[in-house]
Amino acid sequence: MREKLLGKIEEELLRLRHDVAHSAKDRSTPVGFGIDVALLSGFVSDTLSPEQEAELARQVASLLPYHWAQSNTYAAAISQVAHHLGGQRELVVWLDRFPGLPRLVARMFVFMGLLDQLSGNPAVVTALREFRERTPYPAGLRGYLVPETDDETIASIAFRIEELLGEGEKDKAVELALAMAECLRQVAPRAKEIDPGLHDLGELMDHSRRDLQEAAAEQG
């Protein structure tokens, strides 16, 4: 995971996203998912073997897409892991150390964090609206973007990515994330014209795409 991406995200990554209230009532942590209490205890006391730590990372990664629909027990367990590591940003850095699902989920949450921030940026919203006047539904985004572009449009894609992860549709989540990254890469020059402070938007989207592609390739 590239340091430049981490430097752009906020500390609060496990946020309640757009439209989540409408679907939370229909979703819960799947049967069989959970965190082994013994692994958690060993982690906070720094006594786990590398293999045990990798298993804990897998369990945490499996639960993260359900963070807003979890029982208090699971939410507390994830909070314990994050607290021991130093915060939510450190949590995704830790997950990124483990190939497979942990790394993919970590990079997805960093990308979703970027989308959440960009969604409220007037220059990005304007650039995306202008782009969609020429291309209403950019490649890979038909069925995900609503017709009107506003300050919730980009965040709604972050929500949908998280929802797909929660549904076990990892491939579709990756495809959607890559499509959105490419769309924002294309609008980056116009966004930079409007707000020079967005000079690195295109670079951030390139970094995101490479990170996600690398993690997805490890899934096999």
Side-chain angles (χ1 to χ4, degrees), residues 6 31 62 65 90 160 163 178 206:
L6 288 172
V31 175
S62 296
E90 289 76 13
R160 188 65 181 118
E163 190 176 49
L178 292 175
D206 281 336

Side-chain angles (χ1 to χ4, degrees), residues 22 25 42 56 61 64 78 83 89 112-113 117 151 153 171 174 178 200-201 204 207 210-211:
H22 298 297
K25 64 179 184 299
L56 179 63
L64 278 188
I78 290 178
H83 179 74
R89 189 180 309 192
M112 288 187 289
Q117 291 184 59
D151 59 4
T153 299
D171 291 344
V174 170
L178 292 175
D200 59 351
L201 177 58
L204 290 174
H207 286 340
R210 287 197 290 272
D211 272 1

Side-chain angles (χ1 to χ4, degrees), residues 100 104 107 170-171 174 178 211-220:
L104 178 64
R107 296 184 180 190
K170 294 191 294 293
D171 291 344
V174 170
L178 292 175
D211 272 1
L212 292 169
Q213 286 169 336
E214 289 170 6
E218 296 173 346
Q219 298 293 302

Side-chain angles (χ1 to χ4, degrees), residues 128-178:
L128 179 59
R129 183 182 295 115
E130 292 177 356
F131 179 72
R132 294 190 66 200
E133 288 173 357
R134 303 186 300 276
T135 308
Y137 295 100
L141 296 177
R142 183 177 294 276
Y144 295 110
L145 287 175
V146 298
E148 297 298 322
T149 302
D150 57 25
D151 59 4
E152 293 186 343
T153 299
I154 299 174
S156 72
I157 296 298
F159 163 72
R160 188 65 181 118
I161 291 169
E162 185 173 0
E163 190 176 49
L164 286 168
L165 284 175
E167 293 169 352
E169 299 282 2
K170 294 191 294 293
D171 291 344
K172 289 184 179 179
V174 170
E175 290 171 2
L176 177 56
L178 292 175

Side-chain angles (χ1 to χ4, degrees), residues 84-129:
H84 183 68
L85 291 166
Q88 293 183 12
R89 189 180 309 192
E90 289 76 13
L91 173 63
V92 298
V93 172
W94 174 71
L95 288 173
D96 194 64
R97 289 169 43 198
F98 303 95
L101 182 64
R103 183 170 293 159
L104 178 64
V105 169
R107 296 184 180 190
M108 283 292 203
F109 269 83
V110 169
F111 182 64
M112 288 187 289
L114 287 173
L115 294 185
D116 287 334
Q117 291 184 59
L118 293 172
S119 195
N121 187 296
V124 177
V125 174
T126 298
L128 179 59
R129 183 182 295 115

